[in-house]
Amino acid sequence: MKVLVCIKRVPDTGGGFRLTPDSKRVDTTNLGFAISPHEECAVEEAIRIIEKHGGSSTVLTLGPTAAQEQLREALAKGVSSAILLETEDYESWDAGAVAQAIAETVRSMGFDLLLFGNESADACNYQVGLRVAHLLDLPCVSGIKALEIQERRAIAKRDSPEGWEVYELSLPAVFTVKEGINVPRHPSLRGIMSAKKIPIEQKKPIRRDPQMARELLKKPQEGRQLEILGQGVEAVAKVATKLRELGAI
Amino acid sequence: MIFVLLETANQRLTEPSLETLTAARDLALKLGDATEALLIGSGVRALAPTLKGLQSVSVVEDTRLTGYVPEAFAKIAAEAIQKKRPNTVLAPGTEVGNDWLARVAVRLDLGLAAGCTGFSVENGALKSVTRTNWGGSLLEEIEILSNPKLLTLQPHAVSAQPLTGGEPTVETVTVTLDERDFRVRMKELVRKEKKGLSLTEAKVVVGGGRGLGNAEAFKLLEELAGLLNNAAVGATRVATSNNWRPHSDQIGQTGTQIAPDLYIAVGISGAIQHMVGCKNSKKILAVNKDSEAPIFQRADYGVIGDLHQILPALIAEIKKLKGA
Ligand SMILES: Cc1cc2nc3c(=O)[nH]c(=O)nc-3n(C[C@H](O)[C@H](O)[C@H](O)COP(=O)(O)OP(=O)(O)OC[C@H]3O[C@@H](n4cnc5c(N)ncnc54)[C@H](O)[C@@H]3O)c2cc1C
Ligand SMILES: Nc1ncnc2c1ncn2[C@@H]1O[C@H](COP(=O)(O)O)[C@@H](O)[C@H]1O
């Protein structure tokens, strides 16, 4: 079993966004970076599948040199190898360009299972995994929250308001996963140490002509007026009155 | 021409499809253009004449196309687009719509803007679109350079208006589908047992975060919710990734989006990815011991203090009120 997981480096923004003066991007000064949640679950799923069925897992990102940090995190958790498609201005790559670079890189690598996030945390394009699947002529189910491998088949489930939609694909296949499919592990100290010794394969991807061009980013309007009801237990009478006023009691 | 890909459920148009038709008609008016649509399924033909004001509706009736069959739907839509040459293609930004149009985009090698909330028209042409980033906590204005322009419409971005005008011409389209077009298809639907009020149905949601400290403390939230009308318990990602609550309780960008009358956020800092899941709540009440917590900039009511003291006291107070 050979499993590929594609992840993206995104800023961990916490309390709010600051934009750069030209409003073209998120100002990441003083921010940490992370693997976004859906992809963290994709990494966990890959590790569990290899633990159960044997084989190897590979993590891939198209991003800046600094994205080695996210690749190392995946390696520390138990992924076997890593590929960096190195480009500093990765944020200006549209989904079609990212998909093409990934498809070209992995086309002849013989993966049985390719895992993506359902959508990237920042761009939310909902498409890189589906595009890669088509470029490699592989079947794909998006947005899955359960996956089971049996022989050369994959049974995947999507969570819909009506119930669990069950899909069955023969491998090789592509899936885009959603957070909730598992609870990702934390890397162990030993994992972190041994990950340092794994070389990261680096390549320079070629960007095809863009089909999308960002003009600017802006914040949606927020407008709430805060009323402090009080401090500590002294506030509860006022809170209860407010709950009644709002029809909650 | 603006071409709309319609999503149906049980032979009816879904609400997001109706919203997409409204947005398409609105855009067509600004562009001085015609609107056409594509309907695929089994037993959907009767819907076509109800799409008033559209010039034409292409219908693909096939008993094998009950429900969403991804590759077949993508093939049919891509062929229709090649034949009809629209300048804009619009689909609902739902799970089905986003999946469908992404498959169309790669087949035709086109750009796709998912989750659009607005359009900017200049000199009678669609210049750029506004779309959601970060699950809606940021907006992006973006130009689509390829043609036709493919977009999906963020659900709730516009409200659906009744369709008015003349009846459309109905075109029956026949397509040849082979086995490959069915290699991805739902095998079965396993219905879930319904327990209690879901987060999206509840009128009041009580959410807990890291401040709760452990799974045990969520009993306080359960008890509070039990005393309130139509209330359910939710959580932050910190609570779900610590296994204090199941992921289905998570509110936020990668969890559930809620819109209750009241959201009570307890021991939650107010991170942007959490707030994007509850920003449509009519009122937000926050309980946090840190008066500087970002949640207080995004709430209507605030209580500053230790939740482990405030919640038991509040529960006692409500019991007293209810007993009286
Ligand atoms: C791409 C992405 C997607 C994400 N998606 C989601 C999502 O869907 N949902 C989500 O929730 N998060 C999401 N997150 C994580 C998010 O950024 C925050 O890390 C998370 O919401 C913080 O949870 P919290 O408020 O429980 O914890 P913290 O941020 O640690 O806040 C805990 C708060 O509790 C208060 N507190 C502590 N003790 C007490 C006490 N005794 N009494 C009263 N108050 C107390 C503290 O003052 C603090 O404000 C996402 C992150 C990323 C990068
Ligand atoms: N720069 C990238 N490098 C590697 N994988 C990516 C990149 N961008 C997106 N992906 C993958 O594609 C998924 C969907 O992204 P998107 O189509 O941008 O919403 C993400 O969850 C990742 O798994």
Side-chain angles (χ1 to χ4, degrees):
Chain A
M1 192 73 185
K2 274 184 79 176
V3 185
L4 174 78
V5 197
C6 291
I7 63 169
K8 186 175 183 186
R9 171 182 166 90
V10 294
D12 205 343
T13 53
F17 287 104
R18 262 213 337 252
L19 300 178
T20 54
D22 64 0
S23 292
K24 287 268 190 196
R25 50 181 71 207
V26 173
D27 182 354
T28 54
T29 326
N30 301 326
L31 290 186
F33 286 81
I35 302 175
S36 66
H38 296 320
E39 294 146 38
E40 232 185 290
C41 290
V43 168
E44 176 66 28
E45 203 60 23
I47 297 170
R48 289 187 192 184
I49 288 168
I50 295 307
E51 280 172 351
K52 192 159 171 207
H53 301 275
S56 67
S57 52
T58 302
V59 60
L60 179 151
T61 192
L62 184 147
T65 313
Q68 292 193 17
E69 186 192 342
Q70 281 65 47
L71 295 174
R72 294 255 178 245
E73 188 183 325
L75 293 172
K77 288 179 175 187
V79 172
S80 342
S81 62
I83 302 173
L84 173 63
L85 299 181
E86 194 181 354
T87 166
E88 290 307 314
D89 73 337
Y90 70 114
E91 285 173 283
S92 71
W93 286 55
D94 58 43
V98 173
Q100 197 171 71
I102 293 176
E104 252 140 55
T105 306
V106 306
R107 189 180 296 280
S108 54
M109 293 178 74
F111 289 107
D112 303 291
L113 186 65
L114 295 87
L115 301 179
F116 293 81
N118 186 57
E119 83 272 6
S120 56
D122 51 352
C124 293
N125 291 315
Y126 297 89
Q127 53 191 275
V128 168
L130 287 156
R131 283 183 185 263
V132 171
H134 184 80
L135 294 172
L136 299 177
D137 194 20
L138 296 176
C140 176
V141 180
S142 65
I144 65 161
K145 271 201 185 167
L147 181 61
E148 197 191 317
I149 305 296
Q150 292 177 356
E151 309 280 316
R152 297 294 298 163
R153 289 179 311 145
I155 293 123
K157 292 182 190 161
R158 303 182 84 222
D159 191 6
S160 83
E162 284 79 50
W164 287 102
E165 299 177 359
V166 185
Y167 290 80
E168 192 179 306
L169 303 184
S170 55
L171 298 179
V174 179
F175 294 97
T176 80
V177 315
K178 277 194 184 176
E179 189 182 39
I181 190 171
N182 55 43
V183 179
R185 73 192 68 191
H186 295 289
S188 67
L189 198 60
R190 225 177 87 208
I192 295 170
M193 297 313 289
S194 52
K196 286 191 177 143
K197 293 185 216 110
I198 304 174
I200 291 173
E201 187 182 337
Q202 300 192 18
K203 294 186 173 169
K204 294 260 184 251
I206 297 163
R207 189 177 81 169
R208 51 167 282 171
D209 288 341
Q211 292 173 325
M212 312 285 290
R214 173 184 290 173
E215 288 172 351
L216 56 87
L217 289 175
K218 59 187 182 188
K219 294 186 202 176
Q221 284 181 346
E222 297 181 47
R224 292 189 195 263
Q225 268 298 326
L226 180 71
E227 180 192 335
I228 294 285
L229 298 178
Q231 303 225 355
V233 289
E234 272 75 63
V236 300
K238 221 168 158 192
V239 174
T241 310
K242 188 56 82 181
L243 292 177
R244 179 160 267 180
E245 207 180 294
L246 295 169
I249 305 177
Chain B
M1 183 265 283
I2 298 175
F3 197 46
V4 184
L5 309 187
L6 293 169
E7 183 188 349
T8 63
N10 306 318
Q11 282 107 34
R12 300 181 61 154
L13 291 176
T14 60
E15 191 64 21
S17 279
L18 294 168
E19 292 169 3
T20 308
L21 282 169
T22 301
R25 292 280 317 245
D26 191 46
L27 182 61
L29 204 66
K30 287 189 187 132
L31 299 175
D33 220 338
T35 311
E36 298 189 16
L38 173 66
L39 262 174
I40 306 178
S42 166
V44 294
R45 191 169 216 293
L47 287 175
T50 69
L51 303 178
K52 303 250 166 70
L54 269 62
Q55 270 60 34
S56 142
V57 179
S58 305
V59 179
V60 180
E61 270 283 350
D62 191 323
T63 48
R64 293 172 299 170
L65 299 175
T66 310
Y68 175 56
V69 186
E71 303 212 17
F73 274 52
K75 181 184 195 176
I76 295 168
E79 279 176 11
I81 290 165
Q82 277 172 316
K83 198 172 115 221
K84 294 196 158 271
R85 312 208 148 271
N87 53 51
T88 311
V89 180
L90 208 61
T94 53
E95 295 195 350
V96 166
N98 283 333
D99 183 290
W100 189 2
L101 216 50
R103 292 177 194 263
V104 170
V106 64
R107 278 166 191 257
L108 300 177
D109 193 17
L110 295 170
L112 159 61
C116 294
T117 58
F119 312 104
S120 149
V121 173
E122 233 173 59
N123 304 321
L126 177 60
K127 192 184 167 290
S128 63
V129 297
T130 303
R131 60 178 296 272
T132 50
N133 264 214
W134 288 96
S137 19
L138 270 187
L139 295 173
E140 173 184 41
E141 282 178 22
I142 194 163
E143 201 179 333
I144 309 170
L145 306 171
S146 50
N147 259 302
K149 300 186 196 308
L150 307 187
L151 359 144
T152 68
L153 183 75
Q154 183 73 6
H156 311 302
V158 304
S159 54
Q161 303 297 321
L163 294 166
T164 54
E167 266 188 30
T169 30
V170 180
E171 299 172 43
T172 304
V173 182
T174 42
V175 282
T176 31
L177 296 170
D178 53 50
E179 229 172 88
R180 286 183 78 71
D181 302 317
F182 293 92
R183 64 181 173 169
V184 182
R185 115 166 280 180
M186 188 171 75
K187 215 178 115 197
E188 61 175 321
L189 181 71
V190 182
R191 302 217 179 253
K192 276 186 269 190
E193 224 176 290
K194 203 168 148 41
K195 17 179 200 197
L197 208 57
S198 75
L199 281 180
T200 48
E201 292 164 338
K203 291 285 173 218
V204 180
V205 174
V206 187
R210 194 196 303 273
L212 273 285
N214 53 48
E216 190 64 22
F218 271 85
K219 289 209 177 118
L220 280 173
L221 299 195
E222 296 280 5
E223 192 177 358
L224 176 59
L227 292 168
L228 303 175
N229 297 332
N230 299 316
V233 173
T236 66
R237 183 165 182 249
V238 167
T240 56
S241 57
N242 278 314
N243 270 325
W244 298 346
R245 301 296 290 185
H247 183 267
S248 52
D249 281 0
Q250 184 174 315
I251 294 161
Q253 183 178 340
T254 49
T256 303
Q257 316 265 322
I258 58 167
D261 292 339
L262 175 64
Y263 180 51
I264 306 177
V266 183
I268 292 175
S269 64
I272 193 108
Q273 292 89 14
H274 179 74
M275 298 314 287
V276 74
C278 62
K279 65 173 186 197
N280 293 327
S281 310
K282 284 207 189 90
K283 295 288 177 192
I284 297 177
L285 164 69
V287 180
N288 197 302
K289 67 177 182 190
D290 174 11
S291 64
E292 304 284 309
I295 185 99
F296 287 126
Q297 286 153 32
R298 305 196 171 99
D300 301 282
Y301 309 106
V303 179
I304 301 161
D306 185 347
L307 69 93
H308 297 287
Q309 288 166 10
I310 293 168
L311 281 187
L314 180 61
I315 288 166
E317 178 75 14
I318 297 171
K319 281 184 178 161
K320 205 172 80 193
L321 277 177
K322 288 195 138 187

